[in-house]
DNA sequence: ATGATCACTGAAAACGTTTTCAGTCAGCTC
DNA sequence: GAGCTGACTGAAAACGTTTTCAGTGATCAT
């Protein structure tokens, strides 16, 4: 039924070893290589990757574990990762954890069984802390979020600086009661929160941070509650694109004009943030660069497993738009 | 180094066959199963999926080939597909073709080498036409776009009806010079165009359809050109979410108020379409359902390979918003 | 002419599982 | 007690490749 390397060998009148060498790299005379290629064409042979992977012990597979591919940030990063991977002749297995530690563990186990070459992972805080350096038998590159220093290579945003930039801008525009709503599951949200608090302190302002699940629904609820209180903030910073959308919704529901009654700023320069009127002030993350760098770190690590752990910190770009105009 | 099934067998004092049976389903006495499980825990054994796949000839892998995962429509569908797949104990290999026939062929070849169980595929028109029914040795389910009838299972939107609904609504609102910009690469865009033209005809109106690459940039350019012409349309229909965004941009650039100078409608109820002021009138596609149905069709096909080809046609939901208000 | 080197080739082992095949043993039926 | 059945078990044969190992013959330096 299925045509294997033996069939090709028979058709070409050579041994399977020669076929294998002719198709891969190996010393084969031009004449035989010709014959083999003809036989491949004639038989319609397609190598069986499972067999190849088993024998050569090189799966050429990398795992990509993110919270939710529907978050445009992860979508863009994963596209960059996939492009780089396929370019290098590797395939990608994508997994969504929904910020759930149990599923993270499940998928890490799966990666072991797949004998992946390496993994690119955006872990929750809990898992990042728990992951010891050498406990997995493949290298791991953390993206967007990092764990305890020195454990794994990582590529992250300079979150504190980015938050500070937003605060500085809002303060310069004359805002003082600046609140922040940050995700509760990731180290990144924590860093953004810390950066926000530090910057507020630097300006002699009282920080007011709240936390909720890093999605649109939770942020809409949290922001809605907050904005309905007495002494509600004049400006709000949200720690990712989904949450920013939730805040816009909440403001709409409460009929708070932006920036008239509420200034809004956040992370992730998604296309729609520019389309609103006024547009939203955001920190743009270099998404393609993050994905590409992650792959690059992974390849470097594979090449020299013992080199010191590297942490690539990329800067966000502050995109100023109407949502933070002077009140 | 790596612990294999032989190590477990030795530790448990049984044969590898028994270990295999204890871990999978097979007749094993409770006592031995216990021993094996203990040995697995003790050794930290993780099965090697490459070996398993090779021997059992069941890869438990499905391929998902889409144009671009960054298109929110495909993102949502792929998330649904992945959820269903992992639930059924299968992995997913994701590929982006960028509407390029060459890459489509490349990835289909890759799927053959992976010996995938099945493929879910959103092909360009060219490839859909060229794909003969039995030429691949795995079942294919087409999503979003379909090919020649009877060749492959598929799940698509009722595109003609959806387009017609938009036209009917615009006509009811008093618009007459209604233009359409449709993607140039997919059967789906063609169907949407046909539905648009038929509906215009039914209303005794002259259809005016143009085509461009189905992305935001191309649509912005095309719409921009058109809207700058004399006798520009009073209303525009765009054939997907990205193109709709392009049209919004073009209208902004030309300072055409929506719906004052231009009514806008399109496909894909992405979150941002509601956030604009006014919101955009769109056809919402049942994205999760599309993904789930595709997996379901695929499983059915695997169960009974010879059953007649099925085409699942889902209806879009018309979401009326301010962008198509009376002029 | 001899030995050494070189470039290529094929037979067979290996990769880590699952599955087949042939037992083995206990419990039953007659 | 002989023969059957049924439930379990282990040895060994796959699965389809790549890689090792041992040639083979040709070329080259001596």
């Amino acid at each position: 039924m299925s045509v294997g390397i033996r069939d090709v060998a028979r058709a070409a009148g050579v041994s399977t070893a020669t076929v294998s060498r002719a198709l891969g790299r190996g010393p084969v005379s031009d004449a035989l290589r010709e014959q083999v290629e003809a036989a491949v064409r004639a038989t319609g042979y397609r190598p069986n990757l499972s067999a190849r992977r088993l024998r050569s012990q090189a799966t050429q597979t990398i795992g990509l574990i993110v919270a939710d591919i529907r978050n445009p940030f992860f979508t863009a990063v994963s596209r960059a990762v996939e492009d780089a991977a396929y370019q290098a002749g590797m395939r990608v297995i994508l997994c969504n954890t929904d910020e759930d530690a149990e599923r993270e563990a499940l998928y890490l186990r799966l990666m072991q069984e797949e004998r992946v070459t390496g993994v690119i992972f955006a872990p929750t805080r809990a898992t990042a802390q728990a992951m010891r350096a050498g406990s997995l038998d493949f290298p791991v590159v953390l993206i967007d979020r990092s764990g305890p220093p020195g454990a794994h290579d990582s590529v992250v945003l300079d979150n504190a600086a980015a938050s500070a930039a937003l605060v500085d801008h809002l303060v310069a525009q004359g805002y003082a009661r600046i609140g922040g709503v940050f995700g509760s599951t990731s180290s990144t949200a924590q860093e953004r929160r810390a950066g926000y608090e530090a910057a507020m302190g630097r300006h002699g302002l009282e920080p007011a941070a709240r936390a909720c699940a890093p999605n649109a629904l939770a942020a809409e609820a949290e922001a809605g509650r907050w904005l309905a209180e007495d002494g509600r903030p004049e400006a709000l910073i949200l720690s990712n694109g989904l949450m920013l959308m939730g805040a816009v919704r909440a403001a709409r529901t409460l009929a708070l004009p932006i920036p008239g009654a509420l200034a809004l700023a956040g992370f992730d320069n998604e296309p729609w943030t520019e389309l609103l009127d006024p547009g939203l002030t955001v920190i743009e993350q270099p998404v393609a660069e993050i994905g590409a760098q992650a792959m690059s770190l992974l390849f470097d690590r594979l090449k020299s497993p013992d080199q010191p752990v590297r942490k690539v910190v990329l800067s966000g770009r502050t995109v100023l738009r109407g949502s933070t105009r002077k009140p």
Side-chain angles (χ1 to χ4, degrees), chain A:
Chain A
M1 31 170 298
S2 180
V3 29
I5 203 175
R6 319 176 62 100
D7 304 297
V8 178
R10 197 168 320 123
V14 299
S15 72
T16 61
T18 299
V19 175
S20 174
R21 281 191 278 253
L23 264 37
R25 48 182 163 64
V28 181
S29 68
D30 290 354
L32 284 196
R33 168 167 281 124
E34 196 82 1
Q35 281 180 48
V36 168
E37 279 164 4
V40 166
R41 275 191 300 275
T43 55
Y45 167 72
R46 287 281 132 213
N48 181 321
L49 291 184
S50 294
R52 187 197 300 253
R53 282 197 268 261
L54 171 59
R55 169 62 233 213
S56 65
Q57 300 290 75
T59 57
Q60 305 286 69
T61 299
I62 77 142
L64 177 56
I65 308 181
V66 300
D68 185 0
I69 187 66
R70 285 171 302 190
N71 180 337
F73 169 77
F74 288 125
T75 311
V77 169
S78 96
R79 175 65 207 256
V81 166
E82 278 163 1
D83 283 352
Y86 281 109
Q87 197 115 19
M90 310 204 128
R91 77 174 167 155
V92 176
I93 302 183
L94 178 65
C95 303
N96 300 282
T97 66
D98 289 326
E99 310 273 3
D100 175 7
E102 220 167 293
R103 295 183 66 179
E104 292 182 321
L106 174 76
Y107 286 132
L108 282 175
R109 216 154 45 230
L110 174 64
M111 293 304 141
Q112 302 225 63
E113 304 191 349
E114 290 279 2
R115 303 292 193 271
V116 292
T117 308
V119 160
I120 296 179
F121 184 19
T124 58
R125 207 144 36 90
T127 299
Q129 292 298 335
M131 262 195 323
R132 320 242 348 133
S135 73
L136 298 166
D137 27 39
F138 44 77
V140 174
V141 173
L142 268 25
I143 54 170
D144 181 51
R145 309 149 178 210
S146 68
H152 298 284
D153 294 316
S154 57
V155 32
V156 296
L157 196 74
D158 187 345
N159 288 303
S163 279
L166 292 180
V167 171
D168 289 351
H169 169 65
L170 285 166
V171 170
Q173 298 287 80
Y175 292 96
R177 281 212 318 286
I178 305 170
V181 183
F182 301 90
S184 51
T185 55
S186 69
S187 67
T188 283
Q190 275 217 322
E191 289 173 21
R192 290 177 187 173
R193 175 183 188 145
Y196 153 82
E197 287 170 343
M200 290 294 280
R202 197 158 30 75
H203 288 289
L205 296 173
E206 191 63 35
R210 303 194 177 182
C212 69
N215 60 59
L217 226 56
E220 179 175 357
E222 187 64 42
R225 256 194 307 278
W226 200 353
L227 294 175
E229 294 174 10
D230 293 344
R232 60 173 171 75
E234 317 162 325
L236 222 43
I237 292 175
L238 286 298
S239 79
N240 75 29
L242 301 177
M243 296 171 74
L244 188 52
M245 179 171 284
V248 172
R249 284 235 175 77
R252 287 281 164 81
T253 304
L254 296 168
L256 296 174
I258 299 172
L262 176 72
L264 225 45
F267 286 78
D268 297 336
N269 186 21
E270 296 172 19
W272 62 267
T273 58
E274 185 200 357
L275 252 40
L276 293 193
D277 191 19
L280 300 181
T281 291
V282 293
I283 301 292
E284 174 178 310
Q285 300 200 59
V287 280
E289 171 100 17
I290 290 174
Q293 276 284 348
M295 280 300 287
S296 174
L297 283 188
L298 187 55
F299 283 136
D300 288 353
R301 173 63 55 197
L302 291 168
K303 212 175 303 165
S304 34
D306 295 324
Q307 80 182 344
V309 168
R310 291 197 286 172
K311 177 170 185 171
V312 174
V313 179
L314 301 174
S315 297
R317 189 171 70 90
T318 312
V319 181
L320 300 178
R321 299 205 182 97
S323 68
T324 52
R325 264 198 307 265
K326 284 187 168 54

